[in-house]
């Protein structure tokens, strides 16, 4: 009994939800219908206002600014690595390193860097060594004139404690080797990766010497004071890397340093041209920013080509053989509407101080895809309206039919992009892109409602005036047209006049009809009271007023007569009427292909198994790619090709990938270094790394002097360190690695912090190994008795990058699914929400898998495309699902064909124009645009595959079921019973020229 009550309760709830959905849908359609009438009543305002606003906001491009800090765009905004970096800079600033500066550990704001490789032989050959030193002297002597003063490297460089410029240790080693060769004496052997210099200091040259071939493991290298290290004797090397560090403390020095970097690249170019035996790969602090923005410069001409190609195809998709019904100008005006919306959004962003970056290249394509779907849907709905209606009523009918779906798709765009643009997004490039795209979609939606709707009004009046769709010239009558040349008759070909005459029932001017739906109809014509006329309606013939499908109205009218009509209507059988049955003259080329060929083929019983098999193949390949997804955290993967940044990155990977970047091991609080257990722990942590450690050198120093390393007190340990060890010339550089804190008078200072440099041996997958190493050492720092942290500037690109990149996509997808579930309770039918949710998940899964198989990594650009794919797939598949689910009375196959006829053609038109617009983007030699092109093409392909193949097949044998009902409106999308209207028709000798209609 309780189960039966529960079932009854659920049935009542479902019925109430269905009623609420129907009421809300009817209210929204009525609201959009009223909005359509209002827009059509004020076409001048709604056509001119968007243009005026766009022109005014376009003037704001005087405030156009390019983003200067690329690192802030491409790294997670909130990460532990940034906090660690700030702590490191506060403890050990760059200027505090007076003896040596590890370029991979601490990078100043301005620097110039070059990789020098030999085309033949070793870079350490005497000839090449002399050229490298000659290049070094040319760089040092380089001068930059600013404000009447010539600045050289000596004016800008970082200084050591002797007030000399800090240079790389490999330069000192090469100078020692050259001096020994000129003096005809032997020099110290060069070892790798740690070597000993002439002053007895141990230096790490693993990142300054690349492509090394060693003689084999050598013995321990003993330096003065017992400093030891192990290295391999260098037999040959293919590359050298030199770095020149600059100071940029103020606006003037930053300006001078920037010009010095430009002169540095120019000098290297001239030197390389004069010495072809060397290959030079320069890189500066501004190279990444310049080459990242170079994608926008390279994409200018391809974007213009995209606009031209899309324009031609949009005009072609709107054209027909019938010159009156053709709408070629609507294709041009659709692109103009999208361009105006993009200009308006860009003006708003400029006024709000937003800076431009190259990732914004994807925004126009998002606006293009969404805008074309809306405009082509409106044009398709316009062609389904009755041509004997007034233009205002036709626009109102289009708004009622299309705008509910288009508004829902726009809302999905807003939710997906808006959530990704919120502060929840940790990647600044994704957040700024989604904010710009969301604004553009909003403005585009408003411009479609206003500007493009008034374009429909204008073309409607041209059609009513029986004018050519392209040249706007009035088409001559048939008799006059027969006397024209053949080319003129071909140009002015139309069947519009004859078919319009057959639809008007030969009505006389100024006749008045009063219709009562679903009952006997009494028509009173008051043109002339001298005549009486009777009309009889017979079922199962054709009637152009769409009272009910499959009813026949036979009218015989005599001019200037009074008519009394008796109508008998057959109840609605809920049979879907195809577009060709309603408008055989409107058969578009694509519509004819979909209706006569593709619709029958895709719903064929023998084709369905192959479509299901194709979907399984699609899922299999998507899963294959999904399991191979990799992160793309390297900034060089987003720059233009054939640029200095990319060439430098390739040389760096080829010659300097044997060792990881220098990792700073920082003990950031006071620790009992004299304690044996602490010493053992610190030595254990550094075990397995190539290292230069003050603690290890100090303990060896104590051992050589027969001093205990375990039984010393804090004061004696610290005193010996300060007054003896650090005063030795070969150990003096370790003073940069220890911070002493003053204590009470008479007491030894306390060691507040210290650092050790570690380098790990790596393989080709340096990025993955560094990520694993970072996580391992961080976990170790949580359990260690000594509080330490590790840092390298590259860690900001690795630290939780996968989470930062993928979280906007997850949040957007969850928000869209939540919105669909919420709307299914009030506005959208539950099955539509379920099908659309599954479709979005399937499209996302396919795009993610196929882009991995195509060589695209998961970075900020690919995530941007995946977020936009949510709205694109909803645009493509939503209307088809809505039309199919709302239909009643016939089989699934019939309704699938009808849904394809209504919405498959706009989807196909959008796919053609959108894909053609993307093709020129593939010609841009940029990694960013290549990733953008591949992801957007895959988005369009997967969305079209679902809308035109998978869904039409699956819907023929999966829910929702089609049940015969008697509700008005069950035929879906407003194609059911329509109220008959009272209309006043004004007919001339050729066609209906005006008609004023009221409900």
């Amino acid at each position: 009994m309780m189960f039966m009550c529960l079932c009854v309760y659920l049935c009542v709830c479902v019925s109430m939800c269905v009623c609420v959905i129907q009421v809300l849908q009817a209210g929204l359609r009525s609201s959009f219908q009223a909005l359509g009438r209002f827009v059509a009543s004020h076409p001048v305002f709604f056509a001119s206002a968007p243009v005026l606003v766009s022109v005014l906001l376009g003037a704001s491009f005087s405030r156009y600014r390019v983003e200067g800090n690329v690192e802030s765009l491409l790294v997670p905004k909130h990460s532990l690595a940034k906090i660690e970096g700030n702590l490191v800079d506060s403890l050990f600033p760059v200027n505090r390193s007076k003896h040596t500066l590890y370029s991979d550990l601490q990078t100043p704001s301005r620097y110039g860097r070059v990789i020098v490789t030999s085309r033949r032989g070793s870079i350490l050959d005497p000839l090449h060594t002399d050229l490298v030193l000659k290049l070094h002297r040319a760089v040092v002597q380089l001068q930059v004139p600013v404000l009447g003063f010539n600045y050289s490297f000596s004016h800008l460089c970082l200084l050591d404690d002797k007030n000399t410029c800090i240079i790389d240790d490999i330069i000192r080693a090469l100078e020692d080797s050259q001096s020994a060769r000129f003096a005809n004496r032997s020099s110290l052997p060069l070892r790798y990766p740690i070597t000993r210099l002439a002053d007895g200091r141990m230096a790490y040259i693993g990142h300054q010497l690349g492509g090394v071939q060693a003689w084999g493991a050598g013995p321990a290298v003993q330096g003065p004071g017992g400093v030891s290290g192990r290295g391999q004797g260098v037999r040959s090397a293919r590359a050298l890397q030199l770095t020149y560090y600059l100071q940029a403390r103020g606006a003037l020095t930053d300006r001078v340093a920037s010009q010095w970097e430009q002169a540095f690249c120019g000098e290297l170019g001239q030197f390389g041209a004069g010495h072809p035996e060397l290959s030079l790969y320069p890189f500066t602090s501004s190279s990444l920013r310049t080459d990242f923005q170079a994608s926008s410069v390279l994409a200018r001409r391809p974007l213009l080509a995209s606009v031209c190609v899309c324009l031609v195809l949009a005009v072609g998709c709107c054209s027909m053989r019938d010159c009156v019904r053709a709408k070629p100008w609507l294709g041009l005006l659709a692109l103009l509407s999208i361009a105006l919306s993009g200009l308006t959004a860009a003006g708003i962003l400029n006024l709000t101080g937003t800076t431009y970056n190259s990732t914004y290249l994807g925004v126009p394509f998002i606006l293009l895809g969404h805008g074309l779907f809306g405009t082509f849907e409106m044009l398709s709905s316009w062609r389904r309206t009755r041509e004997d209606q007034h233009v205002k009523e036709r626009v109102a009918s289009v708004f009622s039919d299309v705008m509910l779906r288009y508004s829902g798709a726009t809302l999905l765009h807003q939710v997906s992009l808006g959530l990704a643009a919120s502060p929840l997004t940790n990647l600044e490039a994704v957040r700024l892109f989604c904010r710009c795209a969301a604004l553009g979609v909003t403005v585009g939606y408003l411009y479609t409602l206003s500007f493009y709707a008034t374009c429909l009004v204008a073309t409607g009046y041209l059609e009513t005036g029986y004018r050519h769709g392209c040249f706007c010239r009035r088409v001559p009558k048939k008799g006059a047209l027969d006397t024209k040349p053949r080319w003129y008759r071909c140009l002015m070909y139309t069947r519009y006049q004859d078919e319009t005459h057959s639809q008007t029932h030969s009505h006389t001017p100024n006749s008045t009809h009063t219709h009562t739906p679903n009952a006997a109809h009494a028509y009173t014509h008051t043109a002339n009271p001298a005549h009486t006329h009777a009309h009889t309606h017979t079922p199962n013939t054709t009637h152009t007023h769409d009272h009910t499908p499959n009813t026949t109205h036979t009218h015989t009218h005599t001019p200037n007569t009074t008519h009394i009509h008796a109508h008998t209507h057959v109840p609605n059988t809920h049979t879907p009427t195809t577009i060709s049955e309603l408008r055989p003259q409107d058969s578009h080329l694509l519509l004819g292909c979909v209706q006569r060929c593709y619709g029958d083929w895709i719903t064929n019983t023998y084709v369905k198994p192959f479509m299901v098999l194709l979907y399984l193949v699609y899922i299999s390949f998507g899963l294959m790619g999904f399991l191979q997804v990799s992160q793309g955290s390297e900034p060089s993967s987003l720059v233009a090709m054939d640029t200095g940044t990319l060439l430098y990155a390739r040389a760096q990977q080829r010659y300097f990938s044997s060792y990881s970047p220098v990792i700073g091991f920082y003990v950031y609080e006071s620790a009992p270094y004299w304690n044996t257990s602490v010493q053992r722990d610190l030595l254990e942590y550094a075990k397995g790394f190539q290292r230069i450690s003050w603690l290890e050198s100090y303990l060896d120093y104590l051992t050589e002097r027969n001093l205990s390393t375990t039984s010393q007190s804090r004061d004696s340990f610290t005193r010996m360190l300060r007054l003896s060890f650090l005063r030795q010339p070969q150990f003096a550089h370790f003073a940069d690695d220890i911070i002493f804190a003053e204590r009470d008078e008479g007491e030894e200072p306390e060691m507040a912090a210290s650092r050790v440099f570690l380098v790990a041996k790596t393989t080709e997958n340096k990025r993955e190994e560094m990520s694993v190493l970072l996580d391992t050492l961080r976990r170790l720092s949580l359990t260690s008795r000594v509080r330490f942290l590790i840092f390298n500037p590259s860690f900001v690109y690795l630290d939780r990058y996968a989470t930062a990149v993928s979280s906007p996509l997850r949040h957007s997808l969850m928000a869209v699914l939540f919105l669909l579930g919420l709307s299914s309770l009030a506005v959208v039918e539950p099955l539509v929400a379920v099908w659309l949710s599954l479709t979005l998940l399937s499209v996302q899964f396919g795009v993610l898998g196929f882009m991995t198989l195509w060589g695209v990594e998961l970075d900020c650009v690919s995530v941007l495309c995946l977020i936009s794919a949510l709205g694109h797939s909803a645009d493509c598949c939503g209307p088809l699902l809505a039309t199919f689910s709302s239909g009643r009375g016939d089989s699934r196959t019939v309704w699938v064909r009808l849904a394809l006829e209504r919405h498959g053609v706009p989807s196909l038109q959008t796919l053609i124009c959108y894909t053609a617009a993307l093709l020129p983007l593939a010609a841009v030699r940029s990694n960013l645009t290549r990733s953008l092109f591949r992801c957007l093409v895959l988005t369009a392909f997967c969305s079209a595959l679902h809308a035109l193949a998978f869904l039409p097949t699956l819907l023929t044998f999966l829910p929702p079921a089609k049940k015969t009902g008697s509700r008005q409106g069950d035929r879906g999308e407003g194609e059911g019973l329509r109220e008959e209207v009272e209309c006043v028709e004004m007919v001339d000798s050729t066609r209906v020229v005006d008609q004023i209609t009221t409900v």
Side-chain angles (χ1 to χ4, degrees):
M1 185 65 181
M2 184 176 297
F3 177 75
M4 294 179 61
C5 293
L6 181 60
C7 293
V8 172
Y9 176 74
L10 292 177
C11 292
V12 172
C13 292
V14 171
S15 301
M16 292 179 63
C17 290
V18 171
C19 294
V20 170
I21 291 174
Q22 291 177 351
V23 170
L24 289 177
Q25 286 184 348
L28 291 173
R29 292 183 189 281
S30 300
S31 300
F32 282 118
Q33 192 173 19
L35 179 61
R37 289 195 186 95
F38 181 76
V39 172
S41 301
H42 306 82
V44 176
F45 172 78
F46 286 102
S48 59
V51 177
L52 181 61
V53 171
S54 299
V55 171
L56 292 177
L57 291 177
S60 66
F61 272 88
S62 59
R63 300 188 178 186
Y64 172 84
R65 295 184 299 114
V66 178
E67 178 62 46
N69 189 358
V70 177
E71 179 181 322
S72 64
L73 293 175
L74 304 180
V75 303
K77 189 175 182 180
H78 305 287
S79 65
L80 184 59
K82 281 193 172 184
I83 300 175
E84 293 170 345
N86 294 332
L87 178 59
V88 167
D89 291 337
S90 64
L91 293 175
F92 300 95
V94 172
N95 292 335
R96 193 177 185 276
S97 298
K98 298 296 184 180
H99 289 84
T100 186
L101 188 67
Y102 293 87
S103 58
D104 282 347
L105 178 62
Q106 290 176 302
T107 302
S109 58
R110 292 286 184 178
Y111 60 90
R113 188 172 293 164
V114 59
I115 293 178
V116 185
T117 64
S118 59
R119 298 183 183 273
R120 181 178 300 177
S122 172
I123 196 68
L124 298 178
D125 292 342
L127 175 63
H128 294 151
T129 300
D130 294 341
L131 289 178
V132 170
L133 293 177
K134 180 181 178 180
L135 173 64
H136 170 68
R137 288 190 293 268
V139 171
V140 171
Q141 296 171 5
L142 181 66
Q143 293 184 345
V144 177
V146 177
L147 299 178
F149 186 82
N150 293 328
Y151 291 87
S152 64
F153 177 70
S154 60
H155 297 99
L156 302 172
C157 65
L158 293 176
L159 303 175
D160 59 13
D161 54 353
K162 298 179 181 180
N163 289 328
T164 59
C165 293
I166 296 176
I167 59 176
D168 287 335
D169 294 323
I170 191 64
I171 292 293
R172 302 185 186 278
L174 294 181
E175 289 177 343
D176 294 340
S177 176
Q178 187 185 59
S179 300
R181 189 172 70 251
F182 289 163
N184 197 19
R185 58 180 174 82
S186 60
S187 61
L188 290 175
L190 191 65
R191 297 188 177 275
Y192 182 83
I194 298 177
T195 190
R196 191 183 70 185
L197 301 179
D199 59 1
R201 183 167 55 89
M202 305 303 298
Y204 172 75
I205 60 172
H207 294 150
Q208 299 169 14
L209 196 64
V212 175
Q213 292 184 358
W215 293 106
V221 182
Q222 297 292 331
V227 180
S228 63
R230 180 167 294 276
Q232 295 176 319
V234 178
R235 181 175 62 180
S236 65
R238 294 295 307 278
L240 280 172
Q241 181 169 226
L242 308 177
T243 307
Y244 300 90
Y245 306 101
L246 309 176
Q247 298 187 63
R249 297 181 178 178
L252 178 60
T253 56
D254 185 75
R255 175 185 172 186
V256 175
S258 176
Q259 295 190 17
W260 189 92
E261 289 179 357
Q262 297 178 8
F264 171 77
C265 294
E267 180 66 24
L268 293 180
Q270 295 179 4
F271 191 89
H275 301 85
E277 59 268 33
L278 296 180
S279 298
L280 306 179
Y281 303 95
F283 184 78
T284 65
S285 62
S286 58
S287 294
L288 179 60
R289 178 181 69 253
T290 303
D291 296 340
F292 178 73
Q293 302 296 352
S295 299
S296 303
V297 179
L298 296 175
R300 289 176 181 174
R301 292 185 179 180
L303 285 179
L304 291 177
S306 297
V307 172
C308 296
V309 171
C310 187
L311 179 62
V312 172
L313 290 177
V315 171
C317 289
C318 295
S319 301
M320 295 174 59
R321 180 70 178 88
D322 193 318
C323 68
V324 176
R325 295 188 176 93
K327 306 291 187 298
W329 289 113
L330 286 182
L332 173 63
L333 293 171
L335 292 182
L336 179 60
S337 176
I338 297 171
L340 290 176
S341 65
L343 181 62
T344 302
I348 295 174
L349 292 174
N350 288 330
L351 291 177
T352 56
T354 303
T355 56
Y356 178 84
N357 64 80
S358 291
T359 59
Y360 286 0
L361 288 173
V363 174
F365 294 99
I366 295 178
L367 303 184
L368 180 66
H370 185 59
L372 287 178
F373 270 116
T375 54
F376 281 130
E377 280 284 345
M378 292 179 70
L379 180 58
S380 177
S381 178
W382 174 270
R383 286 175 172 160
R384 292 198 301 269
T385 58
R386 297 210 319 258
E387 293 166 348
D388 57 345
Q389 282 185 303
H390 192 271
V391 173
K392 296 180 182 179
E393 294 303 318
R394 297 182 72 180
V395 174
S397 179
V398 169
F399 271 56
S400 176
D401 182 37
V402 174
M403 282 305 159
L404 183 59
R405 296 191 302 269
Y406 187 56
S407 300
T410 303
L411 183 60
L412 288 179
H413 274 280
Q414 292 294 343
V415 170
S416 59
L417 294 171
L419 190 60
S422 67
L424 296 176
T425 299
N426 199 20
L427 210 59
E428 190 70 6
V430 176
R431 193 180 69 83
L432 293 178
F433 176 92
C434 292
R435 184 179 69 174
C436 180
L439 178 61
V441 168
T442 303
V443 177
Y445 173 76
L446 297 177
Y447 276 35
T448 302
L449 287 178
S450 55
F451 181 80
Y452 189 76
T454 57
C455 297
L456 277 179
V457 174
T459 55
Y461 281 115
L462 290 177
E463 186 177 335
T464 301
Y466 197 53
R467 296 182 179 274
H468 196 283
C470 182
F471 304 108
C472 304
R473 178 182 177 86
R474 187 175 180 85
V475 178
K477 298 179 182 179
K478 185 175 182 179
L481 191 62
D482 293 339
T483 61
K484 301 293 182 179
R486 179 174 298 178
W487 65 269
Y488 189 84
R489 293 199 305 270
C490 181
L491 188 64
M492 293 294 181
Y493 171 80
T494 181
R495 296 173 57 191
Y496 188 79
Q497 184 178 12
D498 298 336
E499 292 164 352
T500 303
H501 274 292
S502 65
Q503 293 171 5
T504 57
H505 315 288
S506 302
H507 282 294
T508 60
N510 304 323
S511 61
T512 304
H513 292 203
T514 304
H515 291 208
T516 304
N518 301 325
H521 296 264
Y523 285 23
T524 304
H525 293 236
T526 58
N528 191 338
H531 301 275
T532 303
H533 188 79
H535 288 213
T536 304
H537 290 217
T538 306
N540 302 323
T541 58
T542 303
H543 183 258
T544 61
H545 286 292
D546 288 349
H547 302 303
T548 57
N550 306 322
T551 60
T552 301
H553 303 259
T554 304
H555 292 206
T556 305
H557 285 214
T558 304
N560 300 323
T561 59
T562 301
H563 305 268
I564 301 175
H565 300 236
H567 287 214
T568 304
H569 285 229
V570 179
N572 182 19
T573 58
H574 305 282
T575 302
T577 306
T578 61
I579 297 175
S580 62
E581 292 172 349
L582 289 175
R583 294 288 182 269
Q585 69 277 9
D586 282 351
S587 294
H588 191 274
L589 176 62
L590 293 178
L591 178 61
C593 293
V594 170
Q595 179 196 353
R596 299 183 181 90
C597 302
Y598 186 76
D600 295 337
W601 178 80
I602 197 67
T603 56
N604 189 284
T605 305
Y606 299 102
V607 175
K608 294 178 184 179
F610 293 99
M611 288 295 105
V612 174
L613 180 61
L614 179 63
Y615 184 71
L616 295 178
V617 172
Y618 167 86
I619 292 296
S620 300
F621 277 93
L623 180 61
M624 185 189 305
F626 180 79
L627 297 177
Q628 302 176 24
V629 171
S630 60
Q631 302 176 25
S633 58
E634 289 292 339
S636 59
S637 63
L638 299 177
V639 301
M641 297 179 181
D642 304 326
T643 55
T645 299
L646 193 59
L647 296 177
Y648 172 83
R650 291 174 179 172
Q652 180 86 13
Q653 176 65 24
R654 180 178 181 182
Y655 297 111
F656 299 94
S657 59
S658 299
Y659 291 95
S660 70
V662 178
I663 302 172
F665 184 93
Y666 298 89
V667 180
Y668 57 87
E669 66 179 15
S670 179
Y673 297 97
W674 57 90
N675 190 301
T676 306
S677 61
V678 172
Q679 295 175 5
R680 188 186 306 110
D681 289 343
L682 293 177
L683 294 177
E684 183 67 23
Y685 297 157
K687 187 178 180 180
F689 291 92
Q690 294 288 341
R691 59 198 178 274
I692 300 179
S693 170
W694 70 266
L695 179 61
E696 190 172 352
S697 300
Y698 181 48
L699 296 179
D700 293 340
Y701 176 82
L702 295 177
T703 302
E704 289 180 356
R705 283 158 177 76
N706 296 323
L707 298 175
S708 174
T709 60
T710 59
S711 61
Q712 293 190 36
S713 63
R714 178 179 60 183
D715 291 344
S716 60
F717 184 89
T718 307
R719 186 182 303 108
M720 181 66 69
L721 176 66
R722 291 177 55 248
L723 302 180
S724 179
F725 176 76
L726 295 179
R727 292 187 178 183
Q728 299 294 323
Q730 67 272 26
F731 302 130
H733 63 282
F734 285 129
D736 299 336
D737 302 334
I738 305 172
I739 297 177
F740 292 98
E742 295 294 336
R743 300 177 64 193
D744 296 336
E745 186 176 357
E747 295 184 0
E748 281 295 323
E750 184 180 13
M751 298 176 60
S754 66
R755 66 180 177 183
V756 173
F757 300 122
L758 308 176
V759 181
K761 184 72 175 177
T762 57
T763 59
E764 294 182 357
N765 297 323
K766 183 195 297 186
R767 186 174 55 195
E768 288 76 8
E769 292 179 358
M770 289 299 297
S771 181
V772 173
L773 181 61
L774 175 62
D775 293 337
T776 303
L777 291 177
R778 278 184 175 170
R779 287 195 299 268
L780 183 62
S781 66
L782 298 177
T783 59
S784 173
R785 290 178 295 179
V786 179
R787 298 297 180 183
F788 71 89
L789 58 87
I790 58 172
F791 179 73
N792 180 275
S794 63
F795 287 173
V796 296
Y797 295 98
L798 297 174
D799 189 17
R800 299 180 181 178
Y801 184 82
T803 304
V805 167
S806 59
S807 60
L809 177 60
R810 293 198 306 269
H811 294 162
S812 298
L813 184 58
M814 292 175 60
V816 168
L817 297 179
F818 176 76
L819 178 63
L820 289 174
L822 186 64
S823 61
S824 65
L825 302 177
V827 180
V828 182
E829 293 188 8
L831 283 176
V832 175
V834 172
W835 270 107
L836 189 55
S837 301
L838 295 176
T839 303
L840 295 182
L841 291 174
S842 180
V843 170
Q844 288 290 98
F845 184 77
V847 173
L848 182 59
F850 284 112
M851 81 175 191
T852 304
L853 296 179
W854 204 352
V856 179
E857 296 179 323
L858 189 64
D859 54 16
C860 64
V861 175
S862 57
V863 166
L864 295 176
C865 299
L866 289 171
I867 293 173
S868 64
L870 292 171
H872 189 90
S873 54
D875 284 334
C876 195
C877 304
L880 185 140
L881 289 170
T883 298
F884 176 83
S885 299
S886 61
R888 299 291 186 272
D890 272 271
S891 65
R892 295 187 179 94
T893 301
V894 173
W895 278 105
V896 165
R897 293 175 183 173
L898 180 62
L900 282 175
E901 290 176 19
R902 291 182 183 174
H903 308 294
V905 174
S907 299
L908 194 57
Q909 291 172 327
T910 304
L911 175 66
I912 293 173
C913 298
Y914 185 72
T915 306
L918 286 174
L919 290 179
L921 198 64
V924 182
R925 292 191 58 78
S926 171
N927 291 324
L928 187 148
T929 54
R930 291 285 176 88
S931 299
L932 195 65
F933 166 75
R934 292 177 179 181
C935 293
L936 291 179
V937 165
L938 288 175
T939 298
F941 171 74
C942 293
S943 299
L945 198 62
H946 281 75
L948 301 177
F950 296 153
L951 285 177
T953 300
L954 298 177
L955 289 175
T956 56
F957 56 86
L958 293 177
K962 299 302 172 188
K963 298 179 181 179
T964 303
S966 58
R967 298 193 314 269
Q968 183 174 345
D970 278 350
R971 296 184 55 235
E973 301 297 326
E975 291 293 331
L977 293 173
R978 296 184 177 181
E979 291 185 354
E980 300 190 15
V981 296
E982 177 185 357
C983 51
V984 179
E985 297 180 358
M986 297 163 53
V987 185
D988 64 1
S989 59
T990 59
R991 54 167 272 104
V992 178
V993 297
D994 193 12
Q995 173 179 319
I996 303 174
T997 306
T998 58
V999 176

